[in-house]
Every structure is written in structure tokens, then in C-alpha cells.
Amino acid sequence: IYDEAYPINYLRNIALLEARRQHLRLNASLDKSAVLLVDVDFRPSDNLFKVLHSRYAAKPILNERQVVVCPAFESANETCANSLAGLKKLVDEGQAEGFHLSHFPQGHSPTQFESFWGKSMQCSNGNVSGFWREAYQIKYEKLFEPYVIMASADVPLCDERFQGYGLNKVSHLATIASQKGGNFIVLPGVFLVAPAHGRSESWAKRYGTQSDETDFNQLSLKGLYYNFTKNLESGGEPVTSASTRLQHTLLLEQVKWLKENHDKCNLAPKYPINDLKKGVFCY
């Protein structure tokens, strides 16, 4: 069997396009559509759905088109808190911390976890409006790879040359930061948390026991990321497969057709798209 690297960014693109497609089944545009970009092993806080689908989310995400960081943590074992109080207890006991802070701080330290806890405690009564009022600005830093919520139509495609372990999400967030001027806001009071798990086979092939294979794989990844950054700096688009480009083109044509026919026929979508007080559809 051919041992091909896991096509992680190709699959992320499929998921993104499908989220947009599902929204358009019941809506005339993507105006109220947002997505949470997160890995499958993370568990959300028990209030995340409510906060993201509230009317207070519409202004920063849909009107202002901001990129909202959902702070990420990791547990030292399989026990994962689902409340802010439970997570704080685990952090204080040394059983949880900001995601990968111990061995890859560049990935999430720009979230500014001290600010997160300070702001979260100020609105610990669970008032949804308070979470959004206490959201704070941060700037992108190299290798930052947070989990974010943003308007679906604004999310760029992932560069599909990144396969297997390493820099696949980093490259995508670099693209997002480039498009958004490096500006993010962090939403306190909510979080994502991943349980502890062993290293993947994909990680071992890249960073496991030193060998000619792992040396080559690391060097190859460095070369790919260098090429990616140069392409990004020159204004180039992420590299994707022919099938992804086709599906993306078809979706754009669908959006255009829906808009033209909605305008011509004055058709009302099943869900109003101009009443932002009703909140956000987040996938």
C-alpha cells in the first residue's frame, strides 16, 4: 500500500466548502454564515454554542468582519472541563494549560492567556453580552495558529501542499492574517480544550527518532514553508488541487446566481438575511 501523507488541508477545504453549501440550501446568500475552524479532537465549553449564536456575535463577525479567537487549552489527561470554573480549577492544579504552551509557545501564546482569565472573571456571571464587550484586540505573530470564528465567505482556502504533520494550520492562519492585516480579537468566557493523547504516526515520521527519513522530511517541510511564505508575500493564492478549485468556482457561481435571482424576483429566503439581531449561523 502506498504510504501517502494525510491530506489534512485538502480535507479542511472540503469541510469549508460543504459548510457554505449547506448554508446556501436554506439561505439566499452567505451573509449570515460563520464558521468555527477547529480540529476534531477539541471539546467546546458548554456555553460556546449560545455565545456564538447570540445576536451580540453578529456585529464583530458579520458587520465588522473580525477574526475571533476562541482560546484553546489542553488537559494533562483525558479529563476535560466544560465550564470556565472547571477549567480554571484544572489550570490552577497544573492539570491543564494553554494549548502546547510548554513545547510550542509560538502557536498560542499571542492569545494572551493572562488577559483571557482576567477578562473572563469580570464576566463570570454568564452574561453573553459581557463576553463580547470584554473581547480584546491582539496582533498576529509568526507561527500563531489559533482556532477562530469568522464570516464563512472570508475564509481563504488552505494550501493543500501541506500534508501530514507540521505547519498545515500555521500556513492557513498566516493567510488569514495577511488578508486581515494581522488583527484578531479574543473572546473571553469561552474555550476549546483537547484531552491528552499520544503522538501521531504522522508526527513520528517528521519529528520522531532521528534518521535520514525524518531529516529529509523536516528539510522538505522547511522548504515548502519558505516557498509558501514567499508566495504569500507576493500576493499569491494558496495552492489547491484542480478538484478543490472546481468546487470553489461552482460555489461562487451558485452564490452569484442566488443573488441575481433574489434581486430580480425579490424572493425572501427561508431565513431573513438582513436582520442581524437574530444572530449568526455558525458551522
Side-chain angles (χ1 to χ4, degrees), residues 23-246:
H23 185 83
L24 291 173
R25 290 178 61 238
L26 300 173
N27 297 269
S29 77
L30 294 174
D31 289 358
K32 290 194 68 177
S33 173
V35 289
L36 167 60
L37 306 178
V38 62
D39 290 338
V40 69
D41 54 334
F42 276 82
R43 302 173 187 178
S45 57
D46 55 10
N47 61 347
L48 184 60
F49 182 91
K50 178 181 178 181
V51 173
L52 294 186
H53 288 80
S54 71
R55 62 190 178 94
Y56 304 103
K59 181 180 178 182
I61 297 174
L62 300 179
N63 280 4
E64 300 172 352
R65 314 297 271 204
Q66 297 201 63
V67 183
V68 181
V69 173
C70 186
F73 293 81
E74 62 181 336
S75 176
N77 48 53
E78 294 186 359
T79 301
C80 289
N82 57 14
S83 69
L84 195 65
L87 178 64
K88 187 66 167 66
K89 183 174 184 295
L90 289 179
V91 170
D92 290 344
E93 294 173 349
Q95 296 301 306
E97 67 171 356
F99 193 66
H100 283 2
L101 284 187
S102 293
H103 64 273
F104 186 58
Q106 304 97 313
H108 289 268
S109 60
T111 299
Q112 299 176 10
F113 288 99
E114 289 298 323
S115 294
F116 166 77
W117 284 116
K119 297 283 188 179
S120 295
M121 293 302 103
Q122 290 178 26
C123 48
S124 57
N125 60 1
N127 189 320
V128 173
S129 64
F131 293 150
W132 288 104
R133 187 169 56 251
E134 293 296 330
Y136 56 96
Q137 297 277 346
I138 60 171
K139 293 292 290 185
Y140 173 78
E141 297 178 25
K142 186 178 180 182
L143 302 181
F144 188 32
E145 53 173 356
Y147 297 102
V148 301
I149 307 104
M150 57 190 296
S152 171
D154 288 358
V155 182
L157 293 173
C158 299
D159 193 308
E160 294 176 4
R161 294 175 297 173
F162 290 90
Q163 301 182 66
Y165 188 92
L167 301 179
N168 47 72
K169 188 155 62 69
V170 165
S171 62
H172 191 222
L173 268 297
T175 305
I176 292 173
S178 177
Q179 293 184 0
K180 295 293 185 176
N183 298 310
F184 295 78
I185 64 170
V186 179
L187 181 61
V190 299
F191 60 88
L192 299 161
V193 59
H197 59 74
R199 298 290 192 183
S200 67
E201 182 180 337
S202 182
W203 177 89
K205 289 181 178 179
R206 187 88 68 183
Y207 297 108
T209 304
Q210 187 172 2
S211 66
D212 289 344
E213 180 182 8
T214 55
D215 288 347
F216 173 80
N217 289 339
Q218 291 176 34
L219 185 61
S220 176
L221 181 60
K222 289 180 180 179
L224 173 57
Y225 192 70
Y226 177 82
N227 180 275
F228 163 81
T229 55
K230 290 302 180 183
N231 181 57
L232 183 62
E233 290 168 1
S234 65
E237 295 290 328
V239 177
T240 58
S241 64
S243 62
T244 298
R245 291 194 297 273
L246 174 61

Side-chain angles (χ1 to χ4, degrees), residues 10-23:
Y10 171 73
L11 295 175
R12 284 177 172 140
N13 285 337
I14 289 177
L16 172 62
L17 295 175
E18 185 61 23
R20 292 173 179 168
R21 187 177 294 109
Q22 289 299 320
H23 185 83

